[in-house]
Amino acid sequence: MHGIDRDAAGAASMTATGTIAPQGGIPVAANGDLRTTIIAGAPPGGSILREGVSYAADGSLHVTLDATGQIKGGIAYTLAGVVCHVVSAPANTSVRAWLPGIGLVFVDQTGRLHVS
């Protein structure tokens, strides 16, 4: 996954802290964790929508546990483009999907991004 750290099972390692050190435009922290901002509801003011995916003003990827509003390319999003995630390791039913601006990721059977 383009320099994004993963756990042993393959879930993207994410963090909500640290300075973003972009690698190929991907918002990662210096240790390789995918830099995210967990939100509930609509993206706050100053958010950016890039390739249909919501990012915080600081460039971190918006993720949420909110209900899925749409599935695009096998990935679950809210209607506002926030990526739906699940904190779990990929299972036998998980598949790879392309997250625009990020690359290949593992998603569960409902399209939620696996993170640790």
Side-chain angles (χ1 to χ4, degrees):
M1 271 185 11
H2 304 293
I4 296 173
D5 193 25
R6 293 181 181 218
D7 67 13
S13 180
M14 74 173 202
T15 185
T17 61
T19 302
I20 295 174
Q23 293 183 21
I26 300 170
V28 294
N31 66 355
D33 288 350
L34 181 60
R35 183 65 170 75
T36 60
T37 298
I38 299 171
I39 65 169
S47 298
I48 304 158
L49 195 62
R50 223 175 25 226
E51 296 183 65
V53 181
S54 182
Y55 291 85
D58 69 358
S60 60
L61 177 70
H62 277 149
V63 295
T64 189
L65 294 172
D66 288 354
T68 299
Q70 59 186 330
I71 303 284
K72 294 187 293 187
I75 296 180
Y77 299 87
T78 66
L79 292 176
V82 179
V83 175
C84 298
H85 76 288
V86 60
V87 181
S88 70
N92 289 338
T93 57
S94 300
V95 296
R96 290 183 292 175
W98 185 262
L99 181 56
I102 302 296
L104 280 178
V105 294
F106 280 107
V107 296
D108 70 7
Q109 67 273 17
T110 66
R112 288 181 174 270
L113 171 66
H114 282 287
V115 296
S116 64

